[in-house]
Amino acid sequence: MDSRGLHAFPAFLLSKNSPFMIDLRSDTVTRPTAAMRQAMADAEVGDDVIDVDPTVQRLEQRTAELLGKEAAIYMPSGSMTNQIAIRVHCGRGEEFLCEADCHVYNYEQGAFASLSGLVSRTIQGDSGVLRLDQVRGMVRPDNDHSVRTRMITLENTHNRGGGRVQPFENVKGICDWAKQEGLTRHLDGARLWNAVAATGIDEATWAAEFDSVSVCFSKGLGAPVGSALVGSHAFVQEARRARKLFGGGMRQAGIIAAGALYAIEHHRGCLVDDHTHAQLLAEAVRDSPGIDLPTPTVDTNIVIASVDPAWGTAAEFRDQLAAADVSVMAFGPQAVRFVTHRDVDRAQIDRACLAIRTVAQKNRTSVAT
């Protein structure tokens, strides 16, 4: 990671004074469309903590339907949906398996340990992708000396893996093995919508392999707030209790739920454009000296480029692109991340590709001299 953190940016960039800035830091920077804002303004609301908010209820029912599960519960964030899923599936002092670079392990402050008293056991994947042969033998023996292994969690698509899609055959093999071992299965599907757009395999087919799935509405789909957690009626009932414990109960949440409901009904089909735009960025990286792709393919809407230390750091490359009105994220000492989304159109992507090539060529020239 950049020593100044993921959110360390030049002051002029944070001021957003430039009307020409192309923001490729994340697919969370999207803003509600006019139609989405209208749906939010018109939302029917109630008290979702006391009994029910009708718009939240419709969102939950629709999400559960899309993912082929009995029930769903709306929460403020994907971190909360993941942490509550892990808490419900595991008892204090128990262990879950996860990929070493996954969001649950790296970007949620170790909440599974501090909030739920759980232990994680990590397995290093290939750009986030796990294989069945890697998980075999990872369940600890049931004796007085070992922590009990209770569940496995996968991430699809994989953020730190550059938006990689977990191959369905890998997912099915791992989940079948987990069932045989008596492990519960949770999917961090914050960008599952992107996996669907990339593969044509629908949400319910992916979700059928898992006991619980979390999905995000505020990334590629462009809603302003929230994620949902789906599973059985009994699981969601326990998740609702945990949501209250974690402070995630929301009153007239229909105002924001309406944005999420609009997003899943109108924006899922647009994700293929984001993937097309990511391919153009990847091509620009391949064409540019001093930067490269650490993986041979780009599956969805995330492009991670590695920066040659001979001519600078990721933070320096980020700042050079910012000077050319392209905003990206330093994703490590020598890695930058580009994320396409619905608020960046083809013309802006073309400008971003030109900026990548121009900055890289300039750096090559300065090193040569």
Side-chain angles (χ1 to χ4, degrees):
M1 300 289 292
D2 180 355
S3 61
R4 292 172 290 174
L6 286 178
H7 300 290
F9 303 108
F12 74 89
L13 175 56
L14 290 175
S15 68
K16 293 187 178 293
N17 288 331
S18 172
F20 307 109
M21 185 64 70
I22 302 166
D23 196 343
L24 296 171
R25 289 173 297 166
S26 177
D27 45 7
T28 61
V29 302
T30 54
R31 298 178 182 182
T33 63
M36 183 185 288
R37 285 179 180 271
Q38 189 61 55
M40 295 168 68
D42 294 340
E44 181 184 5
V45 299
D47 191 320
D48 191 54
V49 176
I50 290 179
D51 44 37
V52 64
D53 178 299
T55 304
V56 171
Q57 185 179 57
R58 286 195 291 272
L59 172 64
E60 291 171 344
Q61 289 173 343
R62 180 60 175 140
T63 304
E65 176 187 11
L66 279 171
L67 281 101
K69 297 298 186 185
E70 291 179 353
I73 180 170
Y74 184 48
M75 299 190 197
S77 72
S79 292
M80 183 175 284
T81 53
N82 284 333
Q83 291 303 321
I84 285 177
I86 295 169
R87 181 186 182 91
V88 172
H89 287 312
C90 300
R92 293 187 69 83
E94 294 181 337
E95 174 188 75
F96 67 94
L97 307 176
C98 63
E99 199 278 328
D101 289 321
C102 73
H103 194 281
V104 163
Y105 183 75
N106 288 277
Y107 294 136
E108 299 179 15
Q109 291 191 19
F112 52 83
S114 59
L115 299 180
S116 299
L118 302 175
V119 179
S120 64
R121 189 177 188 187
T122 61
I123 308 162
Q124 186 64 60
D126 177 10
S127 298
V129 173
L130 287 178
R131 304 183 312 274
L132 175 58
D133 65 329
Q134 291 182 278
V135 300
R136 286 197 178 107
M138 296 296 286
V139 177
R140 297 185 191 272
D142 188 4
N143 59 43
D144 292 346
H145 307 286
S146 301
V147 64
R148 288 171 171 157
T149 309
R150 289 301 192 201
M151 69 168 288
I152 186 168
T153 178
L154 299 179
E155 181 180 336
N156 200 22
T157 66
H158 198 289
N159 177 24
R160 283 172 66 92
R164 289 287 300 278
V165 176
Q166 301 279 348
F168 186 75
E169 59 272 19
N170 289 31
V171 170
K172 183 162 181 54
I174 290 170
C175 288
D176 285 346
W177 165 84
K179 292 176 192 176
Q180 294 168 8
E181 294 288 345
L183 305 183
T184 54
R185 289 98 44 214
H186 171 66
L187 175 64
D188 175 1
R191 293 185 174 91
L192 182 61
W193 318 110
N194 292 92
V196 171
T199 64
I201 301 171
D202 64 38
E203 294 89 348
T205 301
W206 287 106
E209 303 300 321
F210 297 88
D211 296 292
S212 61
V213 180
S214 64
V215 289
C216 182
F217 307 116
S218 63
K219 291 188 170 68
L221 297 189
V225 180
S227 292
L229 180 62
V230 303
S232 68
H233 286 300
F235 171 82
V236 169
Q237 183 176 357
E238 288 301 308
R240 188 175 181 89
R241 285 183 56 81
R243 186 185 69 173
K244 176 67 173 178
L245 176 68
F246 282 16
M250 298 179 286
R251 302 292 181 176
Q252 287 74 35
I255 294 173
I256 52 174
L261 186 58
Y262 185 92
I264 60 175
E265 297 294 10
H266 296 90
H267 292 172
R268 286 181 293 138
C270 303
L271 294 173
V272 292
D273 295 330
D274 298 342
H275 297 177
T276 299
H277 293 162
Q279 294 299 324
L280 296 172
L281 292 173
E283 183 180 351
V285 170
R286 292 187 189 100
D287 290 347
S288 301
I291 53 176
D292 199 5
L293 298 176
T295 59
T297 62
V298 170
D299 290 350
T300 55
N301 68 320
I302 300 175
V303 179
I304 294 180
S306 57
V307 180
D308 187 343
W311 62 258
T313 65
E316 290 169 335
F317 186 50
R318 174 202 62 200
D319 294 350
Q320 290 171 322
L321 287 175
D325 287 328
V326 177
S327 179
V328 300
M329 185 176 286
F331 212 54
Q334 299 302 139
V336 294
R337 188 184 74 166
F338 306 80
V339 186
T340 58
H341 51 82
R342 59 175 295 103
D343 283 7
V344 177
D345 61 24
R346 173 61 187 268
Q348 291 172 306
I349 291 294
D350 288 341
R351 283 174 47 208
C353 289
L354 177 61
I356 292 168
R357 292 182 171 101
T358 301
V359 169
Q361 187 60 48
K362 180 180 178 181
N363 286 331
R364 181 182 187 181
T365 301
S366 67
V367 168
T369 58

